[in-house]
Amino acid sequence: MRKLLNNAAYAAVAILPVLSLTGDAVSAMCAGAAVLMALLLMFAVTLGVPKIIPEGVKTPVLLIAAALGVSIAQIILVAVSQGSQSGVYMPLCCVSVLLLSGKVESGDVMSRLLSTVRLGGVYLALITVVGCVRELLGTGRLFGASVTEGWIAPMSVFALPAGAIFIFAVLIAVFSYHTKEEDDDV
Amino acid sequence: MYDILMLLLAGILVDNIICVHGVGITGGPLGADTLRRSALLGGYVTVSALLTTAVCYPVYTYLLLPIGGGYFSTLLFVLCCAGVVFGLPAVLPRLKSWFTQNQITVVFGTALGICCLAVFQQNILYALIAALFYGAGLLFLMCLFFCARLSLKPSRVPKAFSGFAIDLVITAIIALVIYGIR
């Protein structure tokens, strides 16, 4: 539980660079999927060719892997959403990948893979939830379908970056509160 | 001159990179521990964004787009930006002592966001001006954030909100205030 909370707190910080992609649930989910895909591609690169890559150029090679993963996801996103404007900020997913990759546990192949999938999964879940909350509160819709439209006035502040930052502040406060509480229990 | 002044004001206030586009939010909380560091971080982002845009704009507009290679834009932007941001400390070794690795990653993210926006301008001059003024907007906000953080120092903050969370609340309030100017 503690590991999951730590992962979630770290994922919340890693989402901040792609905040502009969390305006609606679909864009947020696509960004999360792009990051998960890029993380897995990065893992495959570090696993497949660890001896070929010299230590000095490891970071650029990993960055290329991350950018490739995000590019593939961007192509899929453009095909699915037929030219969504959020695609403009898709390259920023690489920053999230860079932040998350520093948190992947070292060890044997299986534990590294599990750690990568867990981090990417938590990231995907969290960014989708944030996207859903912003879309629901900001426009009264969820995945494009009307939910609270007509009986609750949309709070447009949540559609703005300021509203998203508030959501993240609360999220990080909740995670840090629970982490501190568990520390006190131990 | 009047147009450039208006563009500068737009970059700082009505079209601010953090408040309106939501790019580079981590810059404030992570970089504004002193006024000097805030200004330096803003300057680092501005220079990086300018250099990245100067390289990316011609390659993207005159090379990738005509051959239908727009899909490689992410690869181009990320590699150029990484080259500039992570390469500058090699040219100016003092940068390494001024900033932590996390702050350099924040600079990378913000410069990349600015480049993604600036590269879609109608010509290279507009693209460079946009990159410069988006950077100036970030610098202004970083200094504003430092002042807000300083005035909040004597206040008692709830335990759960202490640290990064309260920094985000300050950023959100500033973002809301600046968004109001629109």
Side-chain angles (χ1 to χ4, degrees), chain A residues 28-100:
Chain A
M29 212 161 76
C30 288
V35 169
L36 181 59
M37 198 185 279
L39 270 174
L40 288 174
L41 198 69
M42 221 166 169
F43 171 77
V45 169
T46 52
L47 192 72
V49 279
K51 297 233 162 55
I52 303 170
I53 308 168
E55 203 55 45
V57 290
K58 216 167 198 172
T59 311
V61 171
L62 293 181
L63 213 57
I64 292 172
L68 267 177
V70 173
S71 294
I72 294 166
Q74 190 176 9
I75 292 168
I76 298 168
L77 173 68
V78 170
V80 169
S81 63
Q82 300 191 343
S84 161
Q85 277 302 306
S86 60
V88 171
Y89 290 114
M90 272 307 259
L92 290 176
C93 288
C94 291
V95 186
S96 294
V97 176
L98 212 62
L99 287 171
L100 286 176

Side-chain angles (χ1 to χ4, degrees), chain A:
Chain A
M1 185 63 188
R2 191 185 159 75
K3 202 179 252 183
L4 203 68
L5 271 174
N6 275 339
N7 280 342
Y10 204 77
V13 175
I15 291 173
L16 282 171
V18 292
L19 196 88
S20 39
L21 291 171
T22 59
D24 60 278
V26 176
S27 296
M29 212 161 76
C30 288
V35 169
L36 181 59
M37 198 185 279
L39 270 174
L40 288 174
L41 198 69
M42 221 166 169
F43 171 77
V45 169
T46 52
L47 192 72
V49 279
K51 297 233 162 55
I52 303 170
I53 308 168
E55 203 55 45
V57 290
K58 216 167 198 172
T59 311
V61 171
L62 293 181
L63 213 57
I64 292 172
L68 267 177
V70 173
S71 294
I72 294 166
Q74 190 176 9
I75 292 168
I76 298 168
L77 173 68
V78 170
V80 169
S81 63
Q82 300 191 343
S84 161
Q85 277 302 306
S86 60
V88 171
Y89 290 114
M90 272 307 259
L92 290 176
C93 288
C94 291
V95 186
S96 294
V97 176
L98 212 62
L99 287 171
L100 286 176
S101 65
K103 207 68 184 166
V104 174
E105 289 167 16
S106 53
D108 61 339
V109 177
M110 204 57 201
S111 66
R112 269 164 52 204
L113 177 65
L114 276 177
S115 173
T116 306
V117 171
R118 193 171 46 230
L119 262 174
V122 168
Y123 182 93
L124 174 61
L126 207 61
I127 198 170
T128 308
V129 168
V130 171
C132 288
V133 169
R134 280 190 71 187
E135 191 179 354
L136 190 66
L137 295 178
T139 62
R141 303 170 80 87
L142 197 59
F143 288 100
S146 173
V147 178
T148 59
E149 259 181 338
W151 54 284
I152 295 178
M155 293 169 265
S156 53
V157 69
F158 286 102
L160 305 174
I165 308 171
F166 269 125
I167 294 173
F168 276 102
V170 173
L171 260 180
I172 288 170
V174 168
F175 290 139
S176 83
Y177 178 78
H178 280 288
T179 317
K180 276 176 192 162
E181 212 170 46
E182 283 195 12
D183 276 345
D184 292 344
D185 290 344
V186 175

Side-chain angles (χ1 to χ4, degrees), chain A residues 180, chain B residues 156-163 166:
Chain A
K180 276 176 192 162
Chain B
R156 287 175 63 191
V157 175
K159 216 178 188 178
F161 273 90
S162 61
I166 195 69

